[in-house]
Amino acid sequence: MTSIRDDEIQDLAVGDIFYECEMFANIEAEVIEAPVSADGFEGRKQWRWKARNTQNGDVIDYLLTEGLSHYGPRLYREPQYARVVDGNLVFDLMGAP
């Protein structure tokens, strides 16, 4: 598993590609506004940023709270869910034609 840890969110830069994966779905997203941090819930640091679904152009507003990432979003460096088609692994991406 190649998850993106809470302390790595601040390193995301415009143009970076990451994957949000949950419930057997993969979203490939490109950062379009770098994460900014602020104090949030119970004094925990929160990061907000915007990304674009690379498949359909939809803009996604992200919010991640330090120490609570197990609630989501679940972010990775590679897609996590695959299926086998004719003996090959296929990583379907949400929004793809």
Side-chain angles (χ1 to χ4, degrees), residues 2-4 9 18-20 49 62 64 73-77:
T2 55
S3 64
I4 298 174
I9 296 300
F18 64 93
Y19 297 86
E20 180 181 357
W49 72 101
Y62 281 97
L64 188 135
R74 290 181 169 80
L75 306 177
Y76 302 89
R77 300 197 184 283

Side-chain angles (χ1 to χ4, degrees), residues 41-55:
F41 178 74
E42 294 183 348
R44 297 172 187 260
K45 186 179 286 187
Q46 289 185 318
W47 292 272
R48 294 178 186 273
W49 72 101
K50 289 184 186 283
R52 179 180 298 114
N53 180 320
T54 63
Q55 302 302 301

Side-chain angles (χ1 to χ4, degrees), residues 22-93:
E22 190 171 359
M23 310 239 348
F24 303 103
N26 301 306
I27 297 173
E28 183 180 68
E30 177 183 4
V31 176
I32 58 173
E33 287 184 14
V36 293
S37 65
D39 288 334
F41 178 74
E42 294 183 348
R44 297 172 187 260
K45 186 179 286 187
Q46 289 185 318
W47 292 272
R48 294 178 186 273
W49 72 101
K50 289 184 186 283
R52 179 180 298 114
N53 180 320
T54 63
Q55 302 302 301
N56 62 13
D58 288 350
V59 173
I60 306 165
D61 292 312
Y62 281 97
L63 170 66
L64 188 135
T65 302
E66 177 180 45
L68 300 176
S69 58
H70 56 281
Y71 291 114
R74 290 181 169 80
L75 306 177
Y76 302 89
R77 300 197 184 283
E78 300 171 350
Q80 299 298 297
Y81 299 107
R83 61 188 177 99
V84 178
V85 177
D86 297 327
N88 298 307
L89 285 179
V90 174
F91 294 91
D92 293 324
L93 300 173

